[in-house]
Amino acid sequence: MRMSELSARSGVAIPTIKYYLREGLLHQGEQVAATRAEYDESHLRRLRLIRAMVEVGRLPIAAVKKVVAAIEDESLPFHHMLGTAHYALSPQVEPEPTPEWEAAKAEVDALIADLGWQVNPEAPGRNELTQTMARMRRLGMGDDIRKYAEMAERLVREVDLDAIPVSDDRDTAVEALVLGTVLYGRALEALRRLAQESESARRFTRGGPGQPT
């Protein structure tokens, strides 16, 4: 297909496609004339992936480049490729030089070890969880984080990872990871709020679901 058709089918404007080509995010098409190249389904898949990362994952181009490089490095194991995308999606939280941070970090490290999780010491999720737990402790919140960890483990084991296609198409696998992590994450937050409203109505009203005030 020509670039005009690639643009129409992908929903990506031609100037944007040319930018992705210049930046090396999209591989070059087959040159059939001095000023004309042909593109195929692999270009469509890559554009879908880039859109997922930029529009849904809100990743900067520098992060997208790292993910694309991991996809194209076929010597990189599947787990490490997915990890590159996971880390790109994760908030980058800087450690705090405080006793509260160190105490929360020790809790996070102990929880991960106790659960038997295989998590890189440099995983950004460690700092994100540490920051959250430090804030929880400052607010006097309880020690029930393990319950959430166990529920998260079941969800990932029984649902999340099964939705990622394990095939030779690494673009599709990363696209599924990005969309699933971001969109299902948002859906989970909304479902939790709805479930809280429903359970509150069940516990605290007599005539069925009440209207929030």
Side-chain angles (χ1 to χ4, degrees):
M1 73 186 88
R2 300 181 70 170
M3 185 176 289
S4 57
E5 183 182 354
L6 179 64
S7 174
R9 291 182 61 184
S10 66
V12 179
I14 289 178
T16 303
I17 292 175
K18 290 180 177 179
Y19 169 69
Y20 291 156
L21 287 166
R22 290 195 304 271
E23 292 295 315
L25 298 177
L26 183 66
H27 46 293
Q28 298 292 327
E30 180 183 357
Q31 204 72 33
V32 295
T35 58
R36 180 184 167 192
E38 290 286 337
Y39 303 91
D40 57 26
E41 295 298 319
S42 68
H43 293 89
L44 274 175
R45 288 195 298 272
R46 177 59 58 82
L47 285 174
R48 282 200 304 267
L49 170 61
I50 294 172
R51 289 191 67 181
M53 289 191 285
V54 172
E55 297 176 13
V56 179
R58 304 292 184 185
L59 298 185
I61 292 300
V64 174
K65 283 184 176 181
K66 290 182 181 180
V67 177
V68 168
I71 291 170
E72 294 181 343
D73 182 2
E74 296 188 359
S75 68
L76 198 66
F78 195 80
H79 168 66
H80 288 83
M81 178 190 72
L82 294 182
T84 301
H86 260 135
Y87 286 15
L89 289 169
S90 300
Q92 302 302 309
V93 177
E94 292 296 324
E96 301 170 9
T98 64
E100 291 85 357
W101 177 276
E102 293 303 321
K105 181 180 183 301
E107 287 186 68
V108 169
D109 291 344
L111 175 65
I112 292 173
D114 193 41
L115 290 167
W117 288 0
Q118 300 178 58
V119 179
N120 191 308
E122 303 302 320
R126 286 179 178 267
N127 280 353
E128 184 183 8
L129 183 57
T130 296
Q131 183 184 67
T132 300
M133 290 185 68
R135 290 173 176 173
M136 290 171 68
R137 298 300 175 261
R138 283 198 291 268
L139 294 170
M141 298 179 69
D143 297 323
D144 56 357
I145 198 71
R146 185 186 177 96
K147 296 177 183 177
Y148 287 91
E150 291 171 347
M151 286 188 288
E153 182 177 44
R154 287 198 301 272
L155 181 62
V156 169
R157 182 170 292 172
E158 298 172 11
V159 180
D160 284 2
L161 267 293
D162 286 343
I164 298 175
V166 181
S167 66
D168 292 334
D169 186 356
R170 292 159 70 94
D171 281 66
T172 300
V174 173
E175 181 186 10
L177 171 69
V178 171
L179 293 178
T181 299
V182 176
L183 296 181
Y184 279 109
R186 293 174 185 167
L188 182 61
E189 290 177 2
L191 286 167
R192 184 165 178 248
R193 289 192 295 271
L194 293 171
Q196 287 173 339
E197 179 180 338
S198 176
E199 182 63 13
S200 174
R202 187 188 71 81
R203 293 190 186 194
F204 306 127
T205 65
R206 294 183 178 180
Q211 294 296 319
T213 57

